Amino acid sequence: MTGRERILNTLEFKGTDRIPMDVWVLPAARMEHGERLAALQEKYAGRVDIASIVGPFDHGFTPAYYEPGEFTDPWGSVWRNLQPGVIGEVKKPVFADYAAMEGYIPPIERFKKEWAEHRGETAARIAQARAAGKFVIGGWISVFERMQFLRGTEELYCDIALEEEELDRMTEIIMDFMRVYVDAWAEMDVDAIPFGDDWGTQISLLISPAVWVKRFKPLYQELIDKIHAAGKKVFFHSDGYIFDLYPHFIEMGVDAINSQLWCMGVDKVAEQFAGKITFWGEISRQDTLPNGTPEDIKAAARTMIQALHVNGGGLIGQSELNRDVPLENVEAFYQAWDQEV
């Protein structure tokens, strides 16, 4: 099977020859391990079934997000970064005062211009991944995090709690952009378009489930429906304890969810949701990957396979590699999914 066939069969619970795999390697990990990490990536390149492609306005497309210093993003917010290889934080949000929304125009035309300039090279990267048999994911949609980048995290939480009217206007500004962004990626030869919004702390959601359903679920549903209408799959990343959101992701039609299973409990998640959605990783990057042994990593993968791989699908072996993951653990991660299903 090709990687694309393996992922599609997993999403549709049709059976595969092995557990499919994906891996995210942060710039900091490349800086830490250099050629030794590159050699491992090359050694196991055929084992990875997903190719993630970024384009204009995506963090992975713009090196400035990962470089020390200050950087003004296309929306007008100022980021500050203190160390290379790790993304910084917004320190001067463009809507620190909502008065700045007066006359504000989202960067739609700039996006269209940059998209046209880079469309050819983006298509070429997609074609290269296609030729290698990969399942291709394109872009990265953030709604809640874009709100934080524009308004500032503390102010945004106050706005949500107080149901400030200006929040509705900011939401529409973001959605106007996201509709155009989704349309651009939907025209490309990709298999899926992903979302990335972190909704959990280590022990709970950041806001109440009722507020999430009222304010955010309709926004996601609109964009998910648009993506599905274009014949693409929907992948969703969300860090933290998001147990209460799984039923809504399933209801909205999310095809694969990337989440920190181990802070919720793999068995607890599996008991309620195994077989209802595909779990796109992950082995714990907080504990097991940086601090465990290669045997611990393989044991974690075995636990996930036994709990979440049901009815011929439901699990993609995945995690994120940072600079704190020893190289022996990196190799163990690549090997960990070669277990009978």
Side-chain angles (χ1 to χ4, degrees), residues 59 73 75 142-150 174 178:
H59 290 168
D73 70 23
W75 297 75
S142 295
V143 176
F144 177 54
E145 291 185 6
R146 179 55 57 191
M147 290 180 178
Q148 295 179 64
F149 301 155
L150 288 174
I174 293 169
M178 293 303 169

Side-chain angles (χ1 to χ4, degrees), residues 153-171:
T153 299
E154 292 182 8
E155 293 293 337
L156 177 63
Y157 286 134
C158 291
D159 294 344
I160 292 171
L162 297 172
E163 299 186 326
E164 297 285 2
E165 291 183 8
E166 291 91 343
L167 179 56
D168 293 330
R169 170 63 185 137
M170 185 175 70
T171 299

Side-chain angles (χ1 to χ4, degrees), residues 248-313:
H248 301 291
F249 290 133
I250 293 166
E251 183 183 336
M252 289 189 297
V254 171
D255 296 286
I257 178 70
N258 177 254
S259 53
Q260 293 182 285
L261 295 164
W262 293 87
C263 78
M264 291 170 277
V266 173
D267 290 338
K268 177 181 175 180
V269 171
E271 182 180 358
Q272 294 291 322
F273 306 114
K276 299 178 181 178
I277 192 170
T278 289
F279 290 90
W280 179 25
E282 65 173 22
I283 290 178
S284 175
R285 56 191 146 89
Q286 292 180 298
D287 301 312
T288 310
L289 282 173
N291 302 318
T293 65
E295 291 72 26
D296 292 333
I297 291 165
K298 293 176 182 179
R302 186 160 55 251
T303 295
M304 292 169 63
I305 292 169
Q306 291 171 347
L308 299 170
H309 181 81
V310 298
N311 301 327

Side-chain angles (χ1 to χ4, degrees), residues 1-7 17-23 44-51 129 132-136 191 316-317:
M1 301 180 79
T2 66
R4 182 173 186 269
E5 292 168 342
R6 200 170 285 115
I7 295 293
D17 55 341
R18 61 168 172 80
I19 298 293
M21 198 182 81
D22 187 24
V23 60
Y44 293 102
R47 188 65 180 79
V48 178
D49 297 294
I50 291 177
K134 306 296 186 183
F135 181 92
V136 182
D191 297 301
I316 299 168

